[in-house]
Amino acid sequence: MSETPKVTIVIPAYNREETIERCLDSVLCQTYANLEILVIDDGSVDRTPEILREYEEKDTRVLVITKENTGVSDSRNCGIGYASGEYIQFLDSDDWLPENATELFVSAIQKNDSDMVIADYYRVRGHQLYQSGAIEEPGTLSRTEFAEIMIDKASDFYYGVVWNKFYRREILMEQEIRFSEDLQWCEDFLFNLDYLRYAAHIEVIKEPVYYYVKTKGSLVNTQTTPVNVIKTKMRLYEYYKDLYESLDLYEDNKLKIQMFLVQAARDKKQRLKKAEYPPQLLQEESLKNKKVTKRWRETIKENRAAWAEKIYGNDTETIAKAQMEGIRIAKEVMKRKKQGMEEEAIAGELGIDREIVHFVLEEE
């Protein structure tokens, strides 16, 4: 293994004239020099192509690939296909990297010959930075150890994104792991679940390797519908369940895994209305509060059994309880927020992670 292996950084870009220079400057300033920088221009119609050509001429490590607009998953898959580096790192064109990000990744993955690295990152809100990370201590974890930690926070953003992680290209190519192009959101999470099946060891580092900016008008904000949210959750739930069954962890942790259906990443612009939750949830939560119209009561009565059998099989009762627990926690969080409590205090009083508190409040 080379001491300075080539790293491919894949950057999808679509109409990002306002942020792409900051993004690329952060890459070109990396303390680790052996880089292949693949920028996938996903059919931009603003000044993004012009800016990218300037960077391609300025630094030979930059290669711009232009294609028609097909979405971020196809763009990342295109980057994986072109990549020649030993490792692959992902970066979104709204965001940027600390100057030592790639160096930290390479050092960590080589330390114990691991198959993936996962790291802390910064959330950027205006002029404020918040360090985020779900694993408390750095070190090397087996696949099973990593899964056992992840099980407590099934839908944590930290686990579900790709830009705070480092991957071996060999695994991606040999196992044909790619981003799903028929999902409108959570495609990163599915990608990580696929990859985890083949990662024997995962290195955890606590140094933040990324500056993440949540962008208004993103795909999640503008294109997801309640129906797609439900379909996507169920598809991801099946992948999630299969992974833990393969590790012989499912039966002992069934309820925690099923909590994914409640805690899975959602966007505040696409909250499900009560009338669009699964029928048994409506029956147990909304109907008793008389918040559902007569039309919806009839629909629930007619379709409840068929829906439950098709979606949940024999786990209907357990999943319904998990969903109800998620709703109870959300209500308790909102109650305390209205009382003027801060996020950290709410988390402490309810005995839950602060990220869950923040997730609930962001939805509002």
Side-chain angles (χ1 to χ4, degrees), residues 146-184:
F146 183 80
E148 286 176 331
I149 294 173
M150 180 182 175
I151 212 168
D152 286 323
K153 301 177 182 179
S155 62
D156 194 296
F157 202 58
Y158 171 85
Y159 297 109
V161 296
V162 294
W163 35 252
N164 69 330
K165 300 175 183 67
F166 203 56
Y167 305 88
R168 288 187 180 274
R169 184 174 68 90
E170 181 181 21
I171 292 178
L172 296 178
M173 302 308 290
E174 288 184 353
Q175 305 302 330
E176 299 182 347
I177 299 171
R178 297 294 186 274
F179 291 89
S180 173
E181 295 175 25
D182 60 350
L183 291 182
Q184 294 180 324

Side-chain angles (χ1 to χ4, degrees), residues 38 46 59 61 63 65 102-103 114 157 176 184 267 295 345 349:
L38 301 182
D46 63 356
D59 196 308
R61 296 175 298 173
L63 174 63
I65 302 167
T102 303
E103 184 177 1
S114 296
F157 202 58
E176 299 182 347
Q184 294 180 324
D267 190 88
R295 169 177 167 267
E349 182 167 313

Side-chain angles (χ1 to χ4, degrees), residues 34 117 154 190 208 312:
N34 192 10
V117 181
L190 182 56
Y312 301 127

Side-chain angles (χ1 to χ4, degrees), residues 150-156 159-160 183 185-186 189-190 193 229-241 244 253-266 312 318-319 322-323 326 359:
M150 180 182 175
I151 212 168
D152 286 323
K153 301 177 182 179
S155 62
D156 194 296
Y159 297 109
L183 291 182
W185 59 288
C186 279
F189 185 39
L190 182 56
L193 288 181
V229 168
I230 293 173
K231 287 182 178 179
T232 301
K233 279 189 180 182
M234 293 314 304
R235 179 172 173 184
L236 291 172
Y237 168 71
E238 290 304 322
Y239 271 82
Y240 192 64
K241 179 181 175 183
Y244 281 84
N253 298 279
K254 185 182 293 187
L255 186 59
K256 288 182 180 180
I257 294 172
Q258 290 164 347
M259 279 296 291
F260 168 77
L261 294 170
V262 180
Q263 297 174 341
R266 295 170 292 175
Y312 301 127
T318 305
I319 292 178
Q323 290 173 319
F359 168 71

